Amino acid sequence: GPSNSEGAGKISLLKKVPALKDGDFTLAECTAILLYLSRKYNTPDHWYPSDIQKRARVDEYLSWHHANIRANAPKTMWIKVLIPLFTGQPLPSEKLQEVMEGLSTSLKQFEERFLQDKAFIIGSEISLADLVAIVELMQPVGVGCDIFEDRPRLREWRRRVEDAVGKELFFQAHEMILNIKELSNIQIDPQLKEQLAPVLMKMLK
């Protein structure tokens, strides 16, 4: 999301995080960063396959993801934790219901169009597409909206992603998301509240 810090402005012209600084080279946007790192460090082929059609499937999912899963899943965290934290006021339950309905539609498309009967999004092996998807889908879980509970196909896919990554690393990577409710107990600087409250509200429009 947006950052007003001076350091973020030096790394990313967009003043957004995440941002990468690799020597004199800087890069913004999480997907671009993932692809850059996978190429630079010559990661195992299954993450971003050299096969042109498998790679295209990863690209297809990443292109779809931003306007669908990412457009809905993180909003559960903003509605239930972040916006009340920065504004001091809870949002009406109707707002969460609206977001959950949009997310439900996206999850149905995710299962039917991308997962189908495959182990992972592009086939029998995990890829960057699965990593991008799972990080987003763990955010509702962190605020008490278990989207996997009544979706066995989605639940099994999550289990396979956990196993492929390694359970310890998986939960380490999602530790902050899964403990996001603890933020409601911290004290926020009033000036920071004033800066971020309108930004967060704008994200829900």
Side-chain angles (χ1 to χ4, degrees), residues 27-65:
L27 186 65
E29 300 298 337
C30 59
T31 301
I33 291 170
L34 277 175
L35 298 181
Y36 171 78
L37 292 174
S38 71
R39 292 166 178 142
K40 175 172 180 175
Y41 292 104
N42 194 28
T43 55
D45 190 69
H46 63 86
W47 290 115
Y48 195 49
S50 55
D51 178 277
I52 190 171
Q53 292 188 352
K54 288 183 178 179
R55 177 170 289 196
R57 289 301 182 199
V58 174
D59 292 339
E60 178 185 37
Y61 176 77
L62 295 178
S63 297
W64 177 87
H65 173 88

Side-chain angles (χ1 to χ4, degrees), residues 36-137:
Y36 171 78
L37 292 174
S38 71
R39 292 166 178 142
K40 175 172 180 175
Y41 292 104
N42 194 28
T43 55
D45 190 69
H46 63 86
W47 290 115
Y48 195 49
S50 55
D51 178 277
I52 190 171
Q53 292 188 352
K54 288 183 178 179
R55 177 170 289 196
R57 289 301 182 199
V58 174
D59 292 339
E60 178 185 37
Y61 176 77
L62 295 178
S63 297
W64 177 87
H65 173 88
H66 286 272
N68 293 276
I69 299 296
R70 194 174 190 188
N72 291 293
K75 289 181 180 178
T76 58
M77 188 168 58
W78 303 340
I79 290 170
K80 296 199 74 172
V81 177
L82 297 179
I83 290 178
L85 178 65
F86 283 96
T87 64
Q89 298 292 329
L91 287 173
S93 58
E94 292 81 6
K95 182 56 87 171
L96 179 62
Q97 183 178 350
E98 177 185 325
V99 167
M100 291 303 293
E101 287 173 358
L103 180 56
S104 180
T105 299
S106 294
L107 290 175
K108 186 174 186 294
Q109 293 175 355
F110 177 76
E111 288 186 294
E112 294 178 354
R113 178 178 174 184
F114 293 100
L115 274 185
Q116 299 175 8
D117 59 352
K118 304 189 298 290
F120 298 100
I121 292 174
I122 67 163
S124 60
E125 293 185 291
I126 193 171
S127 72
L128 290 179
D130 299 282
L131 286 189
V132 170
I134 195 65
V135 168
E136 221 79 69
L137 294 178

Side-chain angles (χ1 to χ4, degrees), residues 77 135-136 138-143 173-181:
M77 188 168 58
V135 168
E136 221 79 69
M138 290 301 290
Q139 294 183 42
V141 176
V143 293
H174 294 97
E175 183 177 4
M176 183 175 292
I177 290 174
L178 294 175
N179 293 303
I180 194 72
K181 288 183 177 180

Side-chain angles (χ1 to χ4, degrees), residues 121-192:
I121 292 174
I122 67 163
S124 60
E125 293 185 291
I126 193 171
S127 72
L128 290 179
D130 299 282
L131 286 189
V132 170
I134 195 65
V135 168
E136 221 79 69
L137 294 178
M138 290 301 290
Q139 294 183 42
V141 176
V143 293
C145 302
D146 192 347
I147 57 172
F148 298 97
E149 186 176 10
D150 298 321
R151 295 181 175 89
R153 184 170 14 174
L154 196 67
R155 187 171 62 247
E156 285 303 301
W157 165 77
R158 172 188 163 174
R159 180 190 58 76
R160 289 190 291 269
V161 172
E162 286 182 22
D163 290 343
V165 172
K167 289 187 181 295
E168 183 177 351
L169 180 58
F170 182 90
F171 285 102
Q172 181 182 345
H174 294 97
E175 183 177 4
M176 183 175 292
I177 290 174
L178 294 175
N179 293 303
I180 194 72
K181 288 183 177 180
E182 294 179 8
L183 283 180
S184 59
N185 300 320
I186 68 173
Q187 296 296 316
I188 303 295
D189 180 86
Q191 186 177 359
L192 186 60

